[in-house]
Amino acid sequence: MSNPVVHIANLNLHYAATAVLCDLNWRVYSGEHWIIAGKSGSGKSSLAKAMVKLEKSSGEASFHFDPENSMPPLAYYVANWYQFANLEGDRNFYYQQRYNKQQQNDTLTVYADLLHFGQKHQLDFHDAEPILLALGFENCRQTQLIELSSGEHKKLQLVQALWLSPQLLILDEPYTGLDKRSRARLNTMLDEMANAGSTLILITNDRDIPSSINRFAQIENGQLNAVADFNDIKQDEERQRKPFPYFLQKAPVVDSDTMISLHNVSVRYGEKEVLKNISWKVKVGEKWLLQGPNGSGKSTLLSLLNGDHPQAYANDIALFGKKRGSGESIWDIKQKIGIISPELHWYFDKNATVWHAIASGFYDSIGWFLQVKYEEKKQIEQLLDFFDLLEDKDKLLHTLPLGKQRLALLARTIIKNPQLLILDEPCQGLDRSQTAHFNAVLDELSSYGKTLIYVGHYESQLPSCLDNRLVLEKGEVVILEYA
């Protein structure tokens, strides 16, 4: 038998005193294309990072590339998050910075970033053009990196990977933030790469995968175990339902019967019009699904609602019964809103413990908080117990498995029992069991008079409480459905 493309022997990886990978052995041969899936926190991403020396480990991890293959003899890893820097190489960004026009020019444009990538790997930019077109990313060339949504950041990562077309491609959560059309086109291009001689390794619990995938595995007790089929991969155990904390069983005190009122709202960056004449009303207790392809304007619309976007003052927008610019501060608005978004998750303070992260919801900060009151401490403890996070409360949020991070951020979102909940793709990266649990919590929470705006691409992954729908495309409303 020929040499394996991937040869891993006795690989060990520890985080502090916790063993993640224990004498793990794995071989991947030419023609094999793998999915690694399974339980949150089992070590899937750690394995991928250890393979490409991004995590310190012991043991052997080597690659054997085909000298007759015209593809670059490289193992290329695409991380879950896109780690970009400003022009000085600094990555210390803050959440609202992407809407601050005075600081947006601090990062490269998509085009400049791709040119830099192409020069580094000696690639012809003309070969990237059809990939940009296929992923619907061609109109983002002059967009600053800091302005991109999570789905657009993922597209930039994928354009680079597909353009490079290495002999071994490792994709960690490749579908994060992508709309349905982009996922289908990505799978087509990955199949083309596989047929051309590339070996694929995808880390995902998503079931909509390339047809070329022919091997499946999960990590259990630090070992990689192959299984016959995706359905044989174990998911996180179904959580036992607990009674909701009493303070969340009360309908929030509201200021107006209308939460949101937008009339002919438009947002423009120079010649680029991101939103065009948006009119929309959200009344107390309504549950809305907000949809649209990547780049349709969803993130910009939400930034107008949560007080982060400065162009809100130039538009006819009323929040909680008050017109923007009539004297209320951004903190007055944020006090009435609980929000989860991929961007908030990405920018969250890396020094925040789970307890601090939840407590920061009282003050609408990204991890930082003031001295909390006795009643607030009780609410934090109740939510820690409700979400089974008590044993994790003193751990750094970013060290937890993704599923637990999302639950902690949901706890942060609801800790003050806000008038309006805005949940922007809260189930990205979660498996079916985690998503079902998350959405069941939302369904029960919404029954207590909550008003909800939920962003999600896939109907099969949505909470059942949603009964109104707004769909954007190219910055315009194309569907507006009321219950």
Side-chain angles (χ1 to χ4, degrees), residues 49 51 61 85 127 135 143 147 204 256 271 276 281 306 330 391 394 405 424 446 478 480:
K49 292 176 182 178
M51 288 169 64
D127 294 333
L135 290 177
T143 303
E147 295 178 275
T204 181
S256 169
E271 296 300 315
K276 307 172 186 177
K281 282 191 178 182
N306 64 32
I330 185 175
E391 65 179 21
D394 295 322
Q405 289 186 47
D424 186 356
S446 68
V478 293
L480 187 62

Side-chain angles (χ1 to χ4, degrees), residues 80-84 95 98-99 104 107 110 135-137 140 143-158 175-179 182 269 272 274 292-303 341-347 424-425 428 455 457:
N80 189 7
W81 296 102
Y82 187 55
Q83 300 287 338
F84 65 94
Y95 180 50
R98 62 195 296 244
Y99 307 115
Q104 282 172 354
T107 60
V110 167
L135 290 177
F137 202 48
C140 291
T143 303
Q144 301 284 327
L145 296 184
I146 200 170
E147 295 178 275
L148 298 176
S149 67
S150 64
E152 289 168 334
H153 275 298
K154 179 57 67 177
K155 285 186 177 181
L156 178 56
Q157 290 178 291
L158 294 170
Y175 304 106
T176 297
L178 296 187
D179 58 67
S182 297
Y269 302 128
K272 184 179 180 181
V274 181
N294 299 128
S296 60
K298 300 187 302 297
S299 295
T300 301
L301 176 59
L302 295 181
S303 70
S341 72
E343 291 77 22
L344 184 145
H345 194 171
W346 191 84
Y347 289 110
D424 186 356
E425 298 196 64
Q428 280 188 6
V455 180
H457 290 298

Side-chain angles (χ1 to χ4, degrees), residues 175-320:
Y175 304 106
T176 297
L178 296 187
D179 58 67
K180 190 172 182 179
R181 180 172 56 187
S182 297
R183 291 185 180 206
R185 291 179 176 178
L186 170 62
N187 284 342
T188 297
M189 289 186 285
L190 289 175
D191 283 333
E192 291 170 353
M193 276 188 61
N195 291 334
S198 183
T199 298
L200 305 177
I201 299 175
L202 275 60
I203 299 169
T204 181
N205 280 302
D206 200 294
R207 299 302 180 101
D208 187 8
I209 57 176
S211 59
S212 54
I213 296 296
N214 52 22
R215 298 289 188 277
F216 303 89
Q218 59 191 349
I219 297 177
E220 297 180 287
N221 301 317
Q223 299 283 313
L224 187 138
N225 298 321
V227 297
D229 186 79
F230 214 142
N231 293 324
D232 297 325
I233 293 175
K234 297 177 182 178
Q235 305 293 316
D236 284 278
E237 289 81 8
E238 187 173 336
R239 291 174 178 264
Q240 289 189 338
R241 297 295 299 276
K242 296 182 178 180
F244 252 80
Y246 179 70
F247 75 93
L248 290 175
Q249 295 183 31
K250 298 182 290 185
V253 177
V254 298
D255 303 308
S256 169
D257 289 338
T258 302
M259 298 273 101
I260 297 165
S261 178
L262 309 180
H263 182 66
N264 291 335
V265 168
S266 297
V267 170
R268 180 185 295 274
Y269 302 128
E271 296 300 315
K272 184 179 180 181
E273 195 168 18
V274 181
L275 294 178
K276 307 172 186 177
N277 300 319
I278 304 294
S279 294
W280 183 31
K281 282 191 178 182
V282 176
K283 295 185 177 180
V284 170
E286 290 182 343
K287 284 76 178 175
W288 280 86
L289 172 61
L290 174 59
Q291 291 183 308
N294 299 128
S296 60
K298 300 187 302 297
S299 295
T300 301
L301 176 59
L302 295 181
S303 70
L304 293 171
L305 306 183
N306 64 32
D308 287 326
H309 204 299
Q311 291 194 38
Y313 296 103
N315 281 283
D316 186 357
I317 298 175
L319 302 176
F320 311 106

Side-chain angles (χ1 to χ4, degrees), residues 422-447:
I422 298 177
L423 307 183
D424 186 356
E425 298 196 64
C427 295
Q428 280 188 6
L430 303 188
D431 65 27
R432 288 184 299 173
S433 174
Q434 292 171 320
T435 298
H437 171 67
F438 194 99
N439 286 336
V441 169
L442 290 182
D443 283 331
E444 184 171 350
L445 182 66
S446 68
S447 69

Side-chain angles (χ1 to χ4, degrees), residues 239 387 389 403-412 437-438:
R239 291 174 178 264
F387 287 116
L389 293 170
K404 286 192 172 184
Q405 289 186 47
R406 291 288 162 81
L407 290 176
L409 290 178
L410 178 59
R412 175 192 182 274
H437 171 67
F438 194 99

